[in-house]
Amino acid sequence: MRAILEVENLNLSLAVPGGILQAIRGLSLKVETGETLCIVGESGSGKSLTALSLMGLLPQTAVLKSDRMHFMGHDLTRLSDREFANLRGDRISMIFQEPMTSLNPCYTIGNQLMEVYLRHKNGGTARARDRAAEILNEVGIANPETRMIQYPHQLSGGLRQRVMIAMALICEPNLIIADEPTTALDVTIQLQVLSLLDSLRKKHGTAMIFITHDLGVVAQIATRAAVMYAGQIIETAPIEQLFKSPAHPYTRGLIDCIPAPGKTNRNQPLKTIPGEVPDLTRDLSGCAFRSRCSKAGDVCFEEIDNSEIAANHFCQCIFPES
């Protein structure tokens, strides 16, 4: 398959009260046409900032550097604000985590969908209205004409999230970035949204980056997964391989923390990964996970390369699991 997004050695720093936060450190990833790459990790690992970097939505104080950051022939590091605005929402779009803070409460659903279409496509207001109703119907919202004249607060959480998906898809982008879009939903609605996203991806051949901290979600929707820790991607593998043979101790720890039906004792506390994520305002050398790893040794203080331990399975660890 052809890669539509290639990122090499992405670094992002932010000024914070405690100093300079090295939020993303040497991140590299590739997304191919039609695949779903899940980026998974604890809160604060840099997942959402990675998404905002790709969308060009970083605060002005952020300092971003990358050896390569290409999307469909565009060098994202060299685009002007206007060029990025033309790309964003059209060829690359994003589904945000909480629709109530992303949808404007002062405008109807129809107005907000039509605004995206009119910004990027020709065809006039009538065509924009027809396309808005069409995409609402496609994401499973009944009576789209009625919904289009309603405001966000008049819709349930599940419907609002479907509207966000419709807004991301209305211009038929090549890449969708979904930033924990099911976090605020109950389990039943979550399953419906995941199924919807996967079916739409297959129907349109759209590539997707799905950001989550939930490995259960990863198992349901991903074709490939990237595990992120302390601003770095420490393991990447096809989804079956990741769950069958996790190589990095952190990945193994995340999987071990998942309750197993019929195996996890209800009277015992759930497993956890001991220790804390390191302070990213300090100088970090070697493996950032070493203070929490039972296998760590002196060699873990040295720089560690991301090596291929099996076909398309990469791990940044001196002592990978076998």
Side-chain angles (χ1 to χ4, degrees):
M1 288 187 180
R2 180 173 60 90
I4 64 168
L5 175 69
E6 294 180 276
V7 179
E8 295 178 8
N9 195 29
L10 172 65
N11 292 275
L12 174 67
S13 58
L14 297 162
V16 296
I20 302 298
L21 179 72
Q22 304 297 324
I24 302 174
R25 304 179 299 122
L27 179 145
S28 296
L29 59 81
K30 184 181 293 186
V31 182
E32 297 180 344
T33 302
E35 80 163 333
T36 298
L37 172 68
C38 273
I39 301 179
V40 62
E42 293 173 271
S43 297
S45 59
K47 305 185 300 299
S48 293
L49 282 173
T50 299
L52 295 176
S53 298
L54 298 174
M55 292 294 293
L57 295 174
L58 293 170
Q60 291 185 347
T61 54
V63 178
L64 184 146
K65 297 178 181 179
S66 180
D67 292 346
R68 182 178 177 85
M69 201 171 169
H70 283 198
F71 172 70
M72 296 186 65
H74 298 276
D75 185 346
L76 299 182
T77 62
R78 295 180 178 274
L79 295 182
S80 67
D81 290 344
R82 179 177 291 274
E83 289 170 330
F84 224 137
N86 290 336
L87 196 68
R88 186 171 51 237
D90 183 22
R91 296 298 90 211
I92 179 172
S93 59
M94 188 165 176
I95 304 169
F96 292 93
Q97 187 172 144
E98 176 47 64
M100 274 306 283
T101 59
S102 302
L103 294 171
N104 192 321
C106 300
Y107 292 89
T108 64
I109 297 302
N111 282 338
Q112 295 183 64
L113 286 169
M114 290 169 61
E115 180 184 9
V116 177
Y117 190 84
L118 290 169
R119 169 65 177 79
H120 295 289
K121 304 292 183 182
N122 297 320
T125 303
R127 173 57 189 146
R129 185 178 294 106
D130 290 343
R131 176 57 181 156
E134 178 184 302
I135 197 65
L136 285 176
N137 185 66
E138 190 171 350
V139 299
I141 295 181
N143 303 316
E145 291 80 7
T146 300
R147 297 300 185 184
M148 284 176 62
I149 62 174
Q150 292 182 319
Y151 291 85
H153 73 271
Q154 295 176 288
L155 275 60
S156 67
L159 285 177
R160 286 194 294 265
Q161 195 57 274
R162 287 174 186 263
V163 169
M164 290 297 298
I165 295 170
M167 192 175 293
L169 287 170
I170 194 167
C171 292
E172 300 182 6
N174 300 91
L175 175 65
I176 292 175
I177 301 174
D179 185 10
E180 303 202 41
T182 60
T183 297
L185 305 177
D186 64 52
V187 176
T188 303
I189 303 301
Q190 181 184 89
L191 185 61
Q192 293 175 5
V193 170
L194 291 176
S195 178
L196 172 65
L197 284 170
D198 198 42
S199 64
L200 291 171
R201 175 190 64 81
K202 292 174 181 176
K203 179 179 178 180
H204 296 284
T206 307
M208 182 163 60
I209 297 175
F210 195 101
I211 294 170
T212 182
H213 62 270
D214 188 340
L215 278 171
V217 169
V218 174
Q220 292 180 57
I221 199 169
T223 52
R224 193 162 54 91
V227 181
M228 197 164 184
Y229 182 78
Q232 296 179 312
I233 289 180
I234 56 171
E235 184 168 5
T236 309
I239 191 61
E240 299 85 359
Q241 179 73 8
L242 187 80
F243 280 94
K244 180 181 178 181
S245 304
H248 199 284
Y250 176 64
T251 308
R252 170 69 69 180
L254 288 178
I255 293 174
D256 287 345
C257 290
I258 302 174
K263 295 182 180 179
T264 302
N265 191 329
R266 291 179 177 270
N267 299 318
Q268 296 295 323
L270 295 175
K271 290 184 179 180
T272 61
I273 301 174
E276 297 180 352
V277 177
D279 184 353
L280 297 185
T281 61
R282 298 181 180 179
D283 258 343
L284 288 176
S285 58
C287 178
F289 189 65
R290 62 177 182 265
S291 63
R292 307 174 72 181
C293 181
S294 60
K295 292 185 174 183
D298 291 342
V299 69
C300 298
F301 284 84
E302 301 173 7
E303 291 301 320
I304 301 170
D305 293 328
N306 205 0
S307 56
E308 189 171 17
I309 60 173
N312 298 316
H313 190 167
F314 296 86
C315 181
Q316 188 171 308
C317 182
I318 296 292
F319 306 111
E321 300 273 354
S322 57

